[in-house]
Amino acid sequence: MLGAAALLSASLPVYAGVSMDRASQSIPACPFPVNPASLYRWGVPMGGCDVGGLGPVTEVWEGSLGLVPADNVDAVSANTTTGKNINYHIYFSADRASLGMLGTPYRAEATLNQAASDIWRMNNLTVASPLASLAACAPTPIGGAHALFRNQDSYDFIFTAPPGVGPLGGNYDNIDALELDDLDPSLDKFHDVGVYFSLDAASPSLGGASAAAIFFTPVGGAPGVWSGAAPLGLVAADDIDALVVWDRGVVGAPDPGMDLVLFSLAPGSPSLGGLSPAGIFVSDLTGFFCVYVQANTLGMRVIDNIDGLDVLP
């Protein structure tokens, strides 16, 4: 019989595709072409491309999304198939400057210059569903701690600095977007399901759109804006930094009041006001948003920044 740990491991998702940010050291250093507009697949740990590996394995080529290598996928989501009215485990990544709260597993990894290339998982379910949290416009408690879910060697990223070497905030790899669904089961590097994503403000493919816009690229199609800033309760100067989408009406078209979105905002986004970039927000595209999960609920400081997000029931 399988023990509890083995059963838990068997139930966790295999894929966990990610993007990395512009400053990640694997982009210029790995022999296989790597860029911040592509998504990379979890695989058998291969030791890091700095010690003989070829580098991250592409899950979705940027051209499949209608993007160019100079773009940066800042957040990504499939169309979440489970309900918006059930409780979830939260999976997240955070940026290089984030340290997490004292005594947390995130803080322990951050002091080793490793946390930003890791994926983290809340051990317990949220108390309220995204839909219930939005209806009450109140954040949900979770209870319990977070735990390490995947680290950089699962993606063949370059190994981070050894403990105590180099300053915190150095340009080691940073997971910038996170999707637990397999976007390319055919393994041809073209996405086999529709993909929702945001781009950073320096991305040429933004055109005249905002970094607070959510784009949608259908299978075999061209990208277009799925939602602008205003339906989310945001302004054009905001920057969506993490994303989960429930597209429940016409797929690929926004349906206010029916669709639902979880997101985080990058530091400096005007709509944060006194809110934290390590918090998670919820909107149904009717022109406002509410706090879904507070930073300290995730074991993060209010000055930290969540930049990858997904949920599993």
Side-chain angles (χ1 to χ4, degrees):
M1 295 178 63
L2 290 175
L7 285 169
L8 175 61
S9 177
S11 71
L12 292 176
V14 172
Y15 296 100
V18 301
S19 73
M20 64 182 74
D21 75 356
R22 296 179 184 278
S24 293
Q25 61 182 347
S26 287
I27 291 175
C30 288
F32 185 82
V34 177
N35 65 63
S38 293
L39 304 177
Y40 297 93
R41 176 181 293 274
W42 175 86
V44 177
M46 294 172 281
C49 72
D50 52 334
V51 290
L54 292 176
V57 176
T58 302
E59 178 178 30
V60 177
W61 171 59
E62 79 279 353
S64 173
L65 297 173
L67 303 178
V68 297
D71 292 322
N72 178 22
V73 173
D74 220 7
V76 68
S77 179
N79 188 0
T80 306
T81 56
T82 48
K84 55 188 180 180
N85 59 345
I86 61 177
N87 300 347
Y88 281 97
H89 287 284
I90 304 293
Y91 293 75
F92 67 93
S93 66
D95 69 7
R96 295 179 190 84
S98 298
L99 294 178
M101 296 174 67
L102 281 171
T104 62
Y106 193 99
R107 174 63 69 95
E109 286 288 283
T111 59
L112 302 179
N113 297 327
Q114 295 178 357
S117 53
D118 296 333
I119 299 171
W120 302 86
R121 176 185 186 269
M122 296 304 296
N123 289 330
N124 294 331
L125 292 166
T126 58
V127 171
S129 71
L131 190 61
S133 181
L134 179 66
C137 206
T140 180
I142 297 177
H146 60 239
L148 181 64
F149 172 62
R150 296 276 187 261
N151 62 18
Q152 69 277 355
D153 64 350
S154 297
Y155 294 92
D156 211 21
F157 290 167
I158 286 181
F159 279 178
T160 51
V165 175
L168 288 171
N171 288 343
Y172 57 96
D173 290 329
N174 178 61
I175 289 176
D176 204 22
L178 167 62
E179 175 51 56
L180 295 171
D181 288 351
D182 187 5
L183 300 176
D184 177 35
S186 64
L187 300 177
D188 62 359
K189 307 190 190 311
F190 287 81
H191 60 102
D192 298 320
V193 298
V195 177
Y196 305 80
F197 60 92
S198 71
L199 298 171
D200 75 359
S203 296
S205 294
L206 268 182
S210 162
I214 300 172
F215 291 83
F216 174 71
T217 302
V219 176
V225 173
W226 181 73
S227 176
L232 296 163
L234 304 178
V235 298
D238 289 324
D239 182 349
I240 290 176
D241 213 15
L243 184 64
V244 179
V245 171
W246 287 262
D247 190 353
R248 286 298 183 262
V250 178
V251 173
D255 292 283
M258 184 178 296
D259 298 334
L260 199 73
V261 176
L262 300 180
F263 62 93
S264 72
L265 292 173
S269 294
S271 293
L272 280 172
L275 299 172
S276 169
I280 301 170
F281 310 110
V282 57
S283 175
D284 63 357
L285 308 185
T286 56
F288 75 101
F289 70 89
C290 296
V291 177
Y292 176 50
V293 180
Q294 294 177 315
N296 63 351
T297 303
L298 298 173
M300 305 302 286
R301 306 175 304 166
V302 295
I303 60 172
D304 290 332
N305 176 34
I306 297 299
D307 59 2
L309 177 67
D310 208 349
V311 296
L312 281 181

